[in-house]
Amino acid sequence: MKLPVKSLVSFKCVRKEWNNLISDPEFAERHFKYGQRAETLMITTPDVNHFKSINPIKSLHDESSYQSLSLSFLGHRHPKPCVQIKGSCRGFLLLESCRTLYLWNPSTGQNKMIQWSSNVSFITPGDSFLFCHGLGYDPRTKDYMVVVISFAEYDSPSHMECFSVKENAWIHIPLAADLHYKSCNLWNGRNLTGTFFSNALHWLVYKYEAYMHVVLAFDLVGRTFSEIHVPNEFEFYCLPHALNVFGESLCLCVMREMEQVETSIQIWELKQYTDHTSWTKTNTLIINDIWSGSALPVCNAENGCIVGSDPAGVLVKWNQDGEVEEQRSFDYIPDGYQVTAYRETLFTI
């Protein structure tokens, strides 16, 4: 049960009985619950036909920790395709390429193409609309859900659509009230990727009507929105930040300017999900040079190290004391890099 996913996948070819066992959805659930919980990193590359998976426990300079994964299933028909990661949940990645969505399990290779809903518009550089994307899972119905929310920063109607993998259809979700938020992340512009945790998707936004930052949460089971207040001492509009899941907690990572020549990254953990006053600072990561100056945490490795990245193609690893242990820079690409954490699973759709 504790064997790596890649080993189990290879064992399916040994005997028919093994294939039937490993392919059983109940076995996949048990392996997800009791098996290895280590996370893997997925990084986009200049070659749009391949991504790289990275074992974050090994050295960033150890070439054996990198594996090239083919994206041939995308079947690019555009002369200059761009692939973006829009979400991660239970081993699946949500990809967008040429205005088409794809669900992909890198561990098993399974994938599914999803055509955009005809009710979802596409933004252009001059638009004031904000898009929130996300991939989540409803344990009640055992259904993967692709969530797309579009809303303007000011008084304009909001629109929300969810794609049900089980129903293989887009579902319009009526909103009780229009959403009035704005992005506070300069890196992602007006496209925010949701963080899946505790059966809900989460986005860090600025609620301009109340002049405050909040974590906007959408519960996939109850189909309801709620807000999680951030620590009172934060005023980080336009400062680099990230919303992650480390271990069993939702975590907020924010760059802080301590002095003119010194900056650091604070990691705050929401100790009790239902108690918005339980934010606790658990770590401070040191930024000691220009290369690690814009990198934000992506995952917490099993050995206590934290690995982060920036869009310029720099990977940084901090040790347990928050000091930079190593870093690696990749070749520049115009559209920038994306690095996402996912857990290898046997799940299918």
Side-chain angles (χ1 to χ4, degrees):
M1 187 62 70
K2 292 186 179 295
L3 287 174
V5 170
K6 292 177 182 177
S7 298
L8 290 171
V9 171
S10 64
F11 290 160
K12 293 172 68 175
C13 302
V14 177
R15 299 180 61 179
K16 181 179 179 181
E17 293 81 4
W18 289 15
N19 177 67
N20 293 338
L21 173 63
I22 298 171
S23 301
D24 187 342
E26 293 299 325
F27 181 86
E29 287 285 354
R30 291 197 301 271
H31 185 271
F32 182 70
K33 185 176 181 179
Y34 300 111
Q36 294 184 344
R37 306 184 66 84
E39 288 190 308
T40 303
L41 295 180
M42 183 66 69
I43 181 170
T44 58
T45 68
D47 182 358
V48 296
N49 294 314
H50 293 84
F51 279 4
K52 283 187 177 181
S53 66
I54 306 171
N55 183 342
I57 296 180
K58 296 184 179 181
S59 169
L60 299 179
H61 301 281
D62 184 354
E63 294 299 329
S64 68
S65 66
Y66 296 81
Q67 180 184 8
S68 180
L69 299 175
S70 173
L71 298 177
S72 58
F73 61 88
L74 297 179
H76 289 122
R77 297 173 297 276
H78 194 277
K80 293 183 179 179
C82 176
V83 182
Q84 293 185 321
I85 302 173
K86 296 294 186 180
S88 174
C89 174
R90 287 165 54 96
F92 281 92
L93 297 181
L94 174 64
L95 308 180
E96 180 185 8
S97 176
C98 301
R99 295 191 174 184
T100 303
L101 298 173
Y102 298 84
L103 287 182
W104 175 44
N105 185 332
S107 305
T108 64
Q110 187 186 27
N111 58 83
K112 176 181 178 62
M113 182 177 69
I114 302 172
Q115 295 291 347
W116 272 100
S117 168
S118 59
N119 296 321
V120 177
S121 301
F122 288 91
I123 59 174
T124 58
D127 290 335
S128 61
F129 280 89
L130 176 67
F131 262 22
C132 290
H133 303 83
L135 174 63
Y137 181 77
D138 183 349
R140 180 193 56 181
T141 59
K142 297 183 178 180
D143 190 11
Y144 289 89
M145 304 290 292
V146 175
V147 176
V148 180
I149 311 170
S150 63
F151 50 89
E153 293 182 349
Y154 302 101
D155 297 331
S156 294
S158 305
H159 187 83
M160 180 172 182
E161 298 271 337
C162 291
F163 182 84
S164 165
V165 172
K166 180 176 288 188
E167 299 293 333
N168 195 35
W170 286 95
I171 303 170
H172 173 64
I173 305 295
L175 298 175
D178 287 325
L179 305 175
H180 295 153
Y181 303 97
K182 65 189 305 183
S183 173
C184 50
N185 195 332
L186 294 180
W187 283 10
N188 293 330
R190 303 189 183 280
N191 289 274
L192 301 181
T193 298
T195 300
F196 182 70
F197 178 76
S198 189
N199 301 331
L201 284 165
H202 304 80
W203 302 270
L204 182 61
V205 294
Y206 182 74
K207 188 177 183 179
Y208 55 83
E209 292 178 333
Y211 303 102
M212 62 187 298
H213 297 86
V214 296
V215 175
L216 178 65
F218 177 69
D219 180 14
L220 274 76
V221 177
R223 304 291 197 269
T224 57
F225 282 97
S226 62
E227 294 178 350
I228 301 175
H229 291 259
V230 300
N232 293 329
E233 54 266 55
F234 275 172
E235 182 51 49
F236 50 86
Y237 183 62
C238 291
L239 288 175
H241 59 266
L243 196 62
N244 295 313
V245 176
F246 288 167
E248 301 297 327
S249 299
L250 189 68
C251 291
L252 182 61
C253 309
V254 182
M255 188 173 294
R256 307 299 296 170
E257 296 182 358
M258 308 301 292
E259 298 176 2
Q260 287 185 340
V261 295
E262 182 181 350
T263 58
S264 64
I265 298 172
Q266 294 181 359
I267 299 180
W268 290 72
E269 179 181 337
L270 188 60
K271 292 292 187 178
Q272 299 180 29
Y273 183 69
T274 56
D275 182 4
H276 300 175
T277 66
S278 65
W279 287 103
T280 304
K281 186 171 70 172
T282 58
N283 206 343
T284 299
L285 308 180
I286 299 170
I287 298 175
N288 56 7
D289 58 42
I290 188 173
W291 295 108
S292 58
S294 57
L296 285 172
V298 176
C299 82
N300 194 353
E302 282 189 332
N303 58 1
C305 292
I306 293 176
V307 180
S309 71
D310 77 347
V314 177
L315 289 180
V316 181
K317 178 179 286 189
W318 290 273
N319 60 26
Q320 297 182 16
D321 298 322
E323 300 171 337
V324 175
E325 184 174 282
E326 59 178 347
Q327 51 198 31
R328 176 171 179 172
S329 178
F330 294 90
D331 293 336
Y332 170 79
I333 55 176
D335 295 320
Y337 285 82
Q338 283 184 283
V339 180
T340 301
Y342 72 99
R343 183 177 164 189
E344 295 186 345
T345 69
L346 292 166
F347 290 131
T348 58
I349 52 176

